[in-house]
Amino acid sequence: QVQLVESGGGSVRTGGSLRLACEARGLPIGGYSMAWFRQAPGEGRVGVAAFSTMTGITVADSVRGRFTVSKDKATNIFYLDMSDLRPDDSGEYICAAQCLDLDAGARCTGYKYWGQGTQVAVSA
């Protein structure tokens, strides 16, 4: 049984940094595409950054230059490093793994496994 367990969320001031971790239990992350999504209250889930086995690392325009992702295969943890945080970065951050479908640009459009999320709050 696969479980994705997120940690590292918290409250920070504008300009601060956080590192989110997604521990993958029962799934060797080296062989699968993974991603981080953000969901703000009352809004839909938005892709933030991804590590694709086909296209490498991609990040949303809104976080380019501030967020990046990495995989630690030794510990089987997928990280989201966030810096220069802004209030509109606030929300629940959710980890996803194993791509289900690809679009014409070989970008993943759906994931099989999802975590429960970790909350990030950025204050002005």
Side-chain angles (χ1 to χ4, degrees), residues 1-5 23-29 76:
Q1 184 176 356
V2 174
Q3 273 189 304
L4 302 178
V5 182
E23 180 187 357
R25 299 173 181 174
L27 185 82
I29 63 173
N76 217 41

Side-chain angles (χ1 to χ4, degrees), residues 7-86:
S7 62
S11 297
V12 296
R13 304 289 292 270
T14 295
S17 300
L18 282 174
R19 172 176 248 200
L20 305 185
C22 172
E23 180 187 357
R25 299 173 181 174
L27 185 82
I29 63 173
Y32 295 93
S33 295
M34 300 188 72
W36 285 96
F37 289 77
R38 179 179 65 237
Q39 186 160 21
E43 298 183 12
R45 195 171 286 179
V46 176
V48 174
F51 197 133
S52 166
T53 57
M54 297 187 68
T55 59
I57 294 174
T58 56
V59 296
D61 289 342
S62 62
V63 304
R64 185 164 291 118
R66 301 187 297 120
F67 291 14
T68 191
V69 290
S70 60
K71 290 181 177 179
D72 185 332
K73 297 176 187 178
T75 58
N76 217 41
I77 296 176
F78 178 55
Y79 290 102
L80 174 66
D81 286 292
M82 307 186 293
S83 62
D84 191 22
L85 283 160
R86 305 166 182 170

